Amino acid sequence: MKIEANLPQLKSWVTIPDKSDFPIQNLPFGIFKTKYLSSVAGVAIGEHVLDLVYLHENGYLDGLGLPAGIFNQKYLNDFLALGRKKGREVRARVSELLRHDNDELKSNRAACEIALVPQNEVQMQMPVRIPNYTDFYSSEEHATNVGSMFRDPKNALLPNWKHLPVGYHGRASSIVISGTPIHRPKGQIKLPETAFPVFCPTQKLDFELEVAFITCAETKLGSPISVPEAEENIFGLVLFNDWSARDIQTWEYVPLGPFLAKNFGSTISPWIVTLDALEPFRVKGPEQFPHVLPYLSFDGEKNFDIALEVLIQTNNEQPTTISRSNFKYMYWNMAQQLAHHTVNGCNIQVGDMYGSGTISGPSPGSYGSLLELTWNGQRPLHLADGSERKFILDNDTVIMKGHCEKEGVRIGFGECKGRILAAN
Ligand code: MN
């Protein structure tokens, strides 16, 4: 599909700094507030946020058939519910208004003053109200590393792994926006050398580098979504840190999977980068063998080349990059995940969040969790401030970044950032 708003030659009259995550080819949607504005919808452009409520109320979005007040809301759910096609039309119109050769908005200085808010004056909010959250386990390298560590290196993948995208239902209520601090969770931990568990703060706090997709449709219970239909139900992506307490997880996860080791908090980046903006960055995923069942088969390129990075920052020091991975490594793609999720008739809702699962690449520097990077604490990492890390310590800040780059266009996700505070 050709999307005009993605053309590499487009230029904006808004200044876009070098290496910005938000050139005119991106235009991600989010919810922001300022000292003067309560939560409203906006689009990121360079170092600014473009106020969609102002544009809508002042006629700049006329002709798009948008309901009154659609952007003057705490969440984007109602806008997403209009579907990907409407999202595409709004993004196309915003792109038009921001083009260097378009005077409509540019020539109205008063309008620009109000509509373009510097990003350092806004507070980003949760972009959607999340009815449901599912987390997958779709990186072969991650599943192999974890299986080798806890089970058997010779049979690291369980027999089902290459036949279906393994997942579990997570907790939507504890997903927070980037910048929200999280207290170290407490829980039951059983050490190998003791007969009984103890209750204490986790000693093995970890992050999981993930990308999550957000759905923009409401389906009926009993109506599956097929692989070819799947992407039309996905509005866009955010970065996702699925914080995990490994010692709590080891004790609790058999037989029903993760529970309190994961549901104390997950952090997302604030801007929903549309699947439309990511269109030029499609790539082929890993070869799937054995062949998947027909309901999971797909045509074309369903993976996306998104470079990912994890950094740890201690006491406002210079952050240290501890991992560089890529979303393209995913064995199971999003279309397969959504098709599998709904094949039994499970319905989806607008604003649902679907985590990819930890994204690890083939080399140790590309692993997406500390569990793998330090091999369960056996090989500590060295940070720029001279300290060592096996797992996350109190006051550590974990920062995740992601961007795509091709033909001189670089589109990014902004930051997914969270600081760990001492246990309550
Ligand atoms: Mn996860």
Side-chain angles (χ1 to χ4, degrees):
M1 182 198 324
K2 193 172 163 249
I3 300 172
E4 194 94 347
N6 291 346
L7 294 175
Q9 64 267 31
L10 293 183
K11 292 207 169 14
S12 177
W13 50 266
V14 178
T15 309
I16 313 289
D18 232 24
K19 298 270 170 200
S20 170
D21 276 353
F22 308 115
I24 190 167
Q25 289 84 356
N26 192 349
L27 308 180
F29 293 89
I31 295 284
F32 72 101
K33 68 177 192 186
T34 67
K35 259 196 286 186
Y36 314 101
L37 285 177
S38 59
S39 300
V40 294
V43 165
I45 177 78
E47 290 176 313
H48 289 82
V49 180
L50 185 61
D51 181 344
L52 287 172
V53 172
Y54 183 87
L55 293 189
H56 194 196
E57 285 177 355
N58 290 278
Y60 290 99
L61 304 179
D62 282 0
L64 294 178
L66 293 165
I70 189 78
F71 296 120
N72 200 359
Q73 303 192 22
K74 244 183 112 179
Y75 298 110
L76 289 167
N77 294 56
D78 287 354
F79 170 57
L80 264 53
L82 301 175
R84 266 192 76 177
K85 190 164 162 281
K86 192 54 71 180
R88 191 171 299 141
E89 287 169 19
V90 171
R91 184 167 166 268
R93 175 61 180 151
V94 169
S95 168
E96 198 172 270
L97 287 168
L98 291 172
R99 272 175 222 185
H100 76 285
D101 52 1
N102 185 307
D103 277 342
E104 291 175 74
L105 182 61
K106 180 170 110 178
S107 62
N108 186 341
R109 278 191 69 179
C112 292
E113 286 271 293
I114 304 169
L116 277 174
V117 188
Q119 274 180 28
N120 58 21
E121 290 175 18
V122 311
Q123 231 184 313
M124 295 307 296
Q125 308 291 302
M126 283 294 284
V128 282
R129 187 181 46 75
I130 305 168
N132 303 284
Y133 157 47
T134 296
D135 198 27
F136 287 96
Y137 189 57
S138 289
S139 148
E140 181 174 1
E141 288 81 1
H142 172 68
T144 304
N145 287 337
V146 174
S148 304
M149 233 178 285
F150 293 116
R151 285 186 301 270
D152 174 9
K154 287 196 197 84
N155 297 294
L157 293 182
L158 287 171
N160 61 5
W161 202 89
K162 291 211 161 173
H163 295 279
L164 55 88
V166 170
Y168 69 94
H169 286 300
R171 185 79 192 165
S173 66
S174 55
I175 300 178
V176 296
I177 191 71
S178 178
T180 311
I182 288 181
H183 284 277
R184 174 177 300 271
K186 293 184 205 165
Q188 281 199 23
I189 294 164
K190 199 196 85 61
L191 300 172
E193 57 272 22
T194 60
F196 295 104
V198 293
F199 178 76
C200 64
T202 174
Q203 303 300 299
K204 290 191 172 179
L205 186 55
D206 201 355
F207 61 81
E208 288 190 338
L209 171 63
E210 303 194 22
V211 167
F213 68 81
I214 298 172
T215 46
C216 55
E218 190 99 18
T219 56
K220 270 209 209 96
L221 186 62
S223 309
I225 297 171
S226 67
V227 165
E229 295 164 341
E231 287 182 349
E232 207 46 37
N233 296 287
I234 299 173
F235 191 83
L237 311 184
V238 292
L239 301 176
F240 193 93
N241 180 354
D242 183 23
W243 299 99
S244 298
R246 301 300 179 193
D247 39 10
I248 298 174
Q249 188 177 352
T250 315
W251 173 231
E252 76 173 1
Y253 88 106
V254 179
L256 289 186
F259 189 29
L260 306 190
K262 305 266 190 180
N263 72 3
F264 61 92
S266 313
T267 307
I268 61 167
S269 56
W271 294 106
I272 306 178
V273 176
T274 61
L275 218 50
D276 278 356
L278 294 166
E279 198 59 36
F281 306 97
R282 282 183 185 273
V283 287
K284 214 168 147 331
E287 208 61 51
Q288 295 186 336
F289 193 84
H291 298 302
V292 297
L293 284 167
Y295 82 92
L296 288 171
S297 70
F298 66 95
D299 290 320
E301 298 177 326
K302 294 271 186 250
N303 278 38
F304 291 86
D305 184 0
I306 305 174
L308 302 166
E309 184 181 4
V310 184
L311 306 96
I312 292 188
Q313 184 181 36
T314 58
N315 314 312
N316 296 320
E317 302 253 350
Q318 194 62 26
T320 309
T321 296
I322 57 165
S323 176
R324 286 179 203 278
S325 189
N326 196 305
F327 190 43
K328 72 181 176 191
Y329 296 136
M330 302 308 297
Y331 186 86
W332 295 102
N333 59 57
M334 296 182 282
Q336 291 178 309
Q337 289 173 335
L338 194 57
H340 180 68
H341 199 304
T342 60
V343 75
N344 63 349
C346 173
N347 53 326
I348 66 162
Q349 293 180 291
V350 175
D352 282 354
M353 182 97 33
Y354 301 80
S356 55
T358 308
I359 304 162
S360 292
S363 65
S366 64
Y367 293 166
S369 65
L370 279 175
L371 178 70
E372 296 163 88
L373 288 164
T374 71
W375 213 255
N376 199 13
Q378 291 172 42
R379 307 170 198 152
L381 295 177
H382 299 275
L383 304 185
D385 69 355
S387 63
E388 279 190 350
R389 282 299 176 283
K390 295 175 176 168
F391 289 96
I392 303 290
L393 299 182
D394 291 347
N395 299 311
D396 283 354
T397 299
V398 175
I399 303 164
M400 294 176 178
K401 297 181 186 179
H403 77 275
C404 310
E405 204 159 0
K406 194 179 176 183
E407 293 173 24
V409 175
R410 180 193 194 283
I411 74 168
F413 283 75
E415 280 186 347
C416 174
K417 184 172 174 172
R419 183 161 175 238
I420 291 298
L421 306 177
N424 259 329

